[in-house]
Amino acid sequence: MDEGGRKEEILRAAQTIFSQYGYHQATIRLIADQAQCATGTFYLYFVSKQDCFLALVEKLYIHVMEQIMRARAGVGNPAEKLKRSLEAAVEVFRRDYELAQVILVRGAGADPLFEERMWRVREAFSEFMVNDLVECGVKRETAVIGAHGWVGALVEIVGVWIRDGQALDLAKATHEIQRIFWMAWGLNDFRSVD
Amino acid sequence: MDEGGRKEEILRAAQTIFSQYGYHQATIRLIADQAQCATGTFYLYFVSKQDCFLALVEKLYIHVMEQIMRARAGVGNPAEKLKRSLEAAVEVFRRDYELAQVILVRGAGADPLFEERMWRVREAFSEFMVNDLVECGVKRETAVIGAHGWVGALVEIVGVWIRDGQALDLAKATHEIQRIFWMAWGLNDFRSVD
Amino acid sequence: MDEGGRKEEILRAAQTIFSQYGYHQATIRLIADQAQCATGTFYLYFVSKQDCFLALVEKLYIHVMEQIMRARAGVGNPAEKLKRSLEAAVEVFRRDYELAQVILVRGAGADPLFEERMWRVREAFSEFMVNDLVECGVKRETAVIGAHGWVGALVEIVGVWIRDGQALDLAKATHEIQRIFWMAWGLNDFRSVD
Amino acid sequence: MDEGGRKEEILRAAQTIFSQYGYHQATIRLIADQAQCATGTFYLYFVSKQDCFLALVEKLYIHVMEQIMRARAGVGNPAEKLKRSLEAAVEVFRRDYELAQVILVRGAGADPLFEERMWRVREAFSEFMVNDLVECGVKRETAVIGAHGWVGALVEIVGVWIRDGQALDLAKATHEIQRIFWMAWGLNDFRSVD
DNA sequence: CATGAATGAGGTTTCATTCAT
DNA sequence: AATGAATGAAACCTCATTCAT
């Protein structure tokens, strides 16, 4: 249980620092101080700053995906699956402000490698949604656009929520976004799903 | 015609470089080389790298806003105004790949000052949309969420388009996003507006 | 009369700027602006910044020496000559604050070449004093030390006067310094000389 | 013994370089090379070039003051205290050529902050002398001028000694300066003090 | 003579990374 | 495994000087 304990500690520190300072403003020194270790220790667990950032992002993505998977588990109705997936994702962001900061705000200009990674994750997530939508009877071509739009809409809403200092009612806003996309595909039993 | 020629040249070079490398990877040397001038020349026109980046972003924002204003000019129907605004914005991005890169992709982690600025612009743009929507009969509270969501959806779509190497049919995708939000608010004469 | 007019103008500007900013903080741009000409014009009259500074210092030294020579002209009594020399020098500094700044304060750390020049001037001036003192009956060996000390004392007093914002009564202080050195050599008719 | 070792090493290197090149001609690279370390190492111990210079000057001033204090310790006679103070100061300069260079020659045009500091130190030192002189029965007003003059005379003498390549007999010269000021105030038992 | 835009060498400073202890 | 002092490449920026107009 203590195995990997130190690495976890540093990752947690990195999350705090990256979320606060962004990738470039963050320094190894800052992370090491936050983790209460020496800068040299940092390099026992990570090859480089970039490696650490990618590891962190990976971990956070996995966490998000796990929550989504858990939310989908045992649900048969595709509309319900879709709904629960999105709610789970937003819930993760809502619960962990730093995580949301790192993934949605700080990552963007960070590094080509990160952008590539983030891009693949969003793509993967969209693919999930597309499949659910197709199962719901939406044409694949339309579903692809819709899924991306939906993701974008939610990311923007979470972004507003973050920048506004969490003043926005995130649950209500998420729900409204859901309604919008739901209606667009004539999923008439929106209410029943809800 | 030569008025402001050199500064414009450097700004164009900066656009190319920032779009390609992002804010932090871009160096003054790179920009100066692209503009075929010495690094010192850069500093004749800009106080600092940040100053240049902000000037570039400002210029691009103004360009986008101008196109939007032009598209809205003389249009009375709020739905039509909204539709044209969004189409104009997307059209600007479609026409100028670098501009889209800088504003939508590279800016994010660039600089606190830039983030503040970007944030204000998105807010201003959303405000426009909200007003149009309210005129269309949408409740303001709902319109605010919707406008942000809409912006997010479009940004994501343009992002996909950029990252996919402009493979996506941007016009079609934009149209689909429009349909989605339109239907969500029961704007029944969507087809007529279209 | 207009011949050299421009060069003089720039020298005057240089005096103002060097006196205010010191050698290193002063820029050609600053001097050119003060002289209301372009930086290129500066280089029509001076080979370099250093050249200009040295020319300025030279001019100021010549001015000081001229005043001293005028004060000594036609005076036979060596004690009187000495007294008048020093008073003339101090009077020049008192009348031209900028000149004093440049020569006594700003020059020091400026440049090896300037230090060499300043050093030679002080040496020359001391030589004058030594000769007068020897004529007064002071032993040469003693006179050399005394002359340097006297110069140092006066420079310090003028320095204090400058830094204090000219609050000190420079005439009175100079007189006291004179009394000190006078008495030291038993020049008993100090009062009559005075 | 190794405590503060590296910082001290760099300070010593800085002393050598500043003394040789002056503040502006000195570069971090030069100091680091002299200290046989990388330029980055310099910044582990000093915030900036200015910080280092000020720290050096501070250290040298403290050293000078300590020597003066030691020389005055347990001496009751004010004339003796004064005499010993000045001799101690000159002795410090005589023993450490570089120290004298930095404090008396190179500092002048270095930096506004340094000039301010140097100015305060000379003022403080003069104050000491003034008090001693007043105790000796000299009128305060006269003593103030005299103290400044005395300091100036000594600084000039040391300056001559430095520039002449230490050819001058500094002890003898200092003694002569002392005689001059002593006699000026009719301190009749000069010889006994001596 | 005069201009001032352009130049580019060179300085200060930062910080990811290494390595001897 | 842990440390943290040391490294040095590389970035930003300044400004004396040049030169085409």
Side-chain angles (χ1 to χ4, degrees), chain A residues 6 38-41 45:
Chain A
R6 202 62 189 270
T39 59
T41 307
Y45 297 98

Side-chain angles (χ1 to χ4, degrees), chain B residues 53-66:
Chain B
F53 186 69
L54 288 175
L56 173 61
V57 165
E58 204 60 37
K59 178 191 145 190
L60 299 185
Y61 275 149
I62 287 172
H63 178 59
V64 173
M65 281 316 233
E66 270 174 8

Side-chain angles (χ1 to χ4, degrees), chain A residues 3-42:
Chain A
E3 187 52 37
R6 202 62 189 270
K7 189 166 187 174
E8 272 305 311
E9 257 174 60
I10 297 177
L11 269 177
R12 268 197 299 278
Q15 176 170 340
T16 301
I17 297 300
F18 281 132
S19 128
Q20 216 171 113
Y21 292 84
Y23 182 74
H24 282 99
Q25 258 62 43
T27 67
I28 304 300
R29 178 76 196 279
L30 235 31
I31 294 172
D33 283 356
Q34 175 78 21
Q36 286 176 296
C37 71
T39 59
T41 307
F42 175 94

Side-chain angles (χ1 to χ4, degrees), chain C:
Chain C
M1 193 192 280
D2 218 354
E3 186 50 39
R6 201 60 188 271
K7 189 167 186 172
E8 272 305 311
E9 258 174 58
I10 296 177
L11 269 177
R12 268 196 299 279
Q15 177 170 339
T16 301
I17 297 300
F18 280 131
S19 130
Q20 217 170 110
Y21 292 84
Y23 181 74
H24 283 99
Q25 258 62 44
T27 67
I28 305 300
R29 178 75 196 279
L30 235 31
I31 294 172
D33 283 357
Q34 176 78 20
Q36 286 177 298
C37 71
T39 60
T41 307
F42 176 93
Y43 284 91
L44 291 178
Y45 297 98
F46 300 99
V47 169
S48 65
K49 181 184 181 181
Q50 183 184 264
D51 176 47
C52 172
F53 188 70
L54 286 173
L56 173 62
V57 166
E58 204 61 37
K59 177 191 147 192
L60 299 185
Y61 274 147
I62 287 173
H63 177 61
V64 174
M65 281 318 239
E66 270 175 7
Q67 293 309 105
I68 290 172
M69 288 317 186
R70 181 169 305 173
R72 295 168 71 92
V75 180
N77 182 340
E80 185 72 15
K81 274 198 293 188
L82 181 50
K83 179 181 164 269
R84 292 202 183 179
S85 300
L86 293 169
E87 278 173 0
V90 172
E91 180 64 11
V92 172
F93 293 136
R94 198 190 59 74
R95 281 207 186 149
D96 194 341
Y97 174 86
E98 283 180 0
L99 180 155
Q101 278 268 87
V102 171
I103 288 195
L104 300 179
V105 180
R106 297 308 186 182
D111 188 284
L113 251 91
F114 168 73
E115 250 171 88
E116 163 67 17
R117 178 78 191 114
M118 183 180 80
W119 171 230
R120 286 218 315 279
V121 169
R122 284 200 184 185
E123 201 60 50
F125 188 59
S126 293
E127 204 59 44
F128 257 107
M129 295 174 68
V130 169
N131 288 337
D132 288 342
L133 284 170
V134 169
E135 275 193 68
C136 286
V138 177
K139 217 170 21 152
R140 173 165 289 271
E141 204 189 359
T142 310
V144 167
I145 306 295
H148 281 304
W150 199 332
V151 167
L154 286 176
V155 166
E156 181 80 8
I157 294 291
V158 175
V160 170
W161 171 73
I162 288 175
R163 293 182 205 119
D164 264 0
Q166 297 97 51
L168 189 82
D169 185 336
L170 195 53
K172 207 183 256 180
T174 307
H175 190 269
E176 171 63 12
I177 294 296
Q178 192 182 167
R179 191 192 65 83
I180 288 168
F181 282 84
W182 228 244
M183 284 192 65
W185 290 308
L187 297 171
N188 43 11
D189 54 353
F190 168 64
R191 207 149 306 233
S192 76
V193 174
D194 187 33

Side-chain angles (χ1 to χ4, degrees), chain D residues 6 37-38 40-41 45:
Chain D
R6 202 59 188 268
C37 72
T41 307
Y45 298 97

Side-chain angles (χ1 to χ4, degrees), chain D residues 52-115:
Chain D
C52 172
F53 186 69
L54 288 174
L56 173 61
V57 165
E58 204 60 36
K59 177 191 148 191
L60 299 185
Y61 275 149
I62 286 172
H63 178 60
V64 174
M65 282 316 236
E66 270 176 6
Q67 293 309 104
I68 291 172
M69 288 316 188
R70 180 168 307 173
R72 296 167 70 90
V75 180
N77 182 342
E80 185 71 16
K81 274 195 296 187
L82 181 49
K83 180 179 164 272
R84 293 202 181 178
S85 300
L86 292 169
E87 278 173 1
V90 172
E91 182 63 11
V92 172
F93 294 137
R94 196 189 61 74
R95 282 207 185 147
D96 194 340
Y97 171 86
E98 284 178 357
L99 180 156
Q101 277 270 86
V102 171
I103 287 195
L104 300 180
V105 180
R106 297 308 186 181
D111 186 284
L113 252 91
F114 168 73
E115 250 169 90

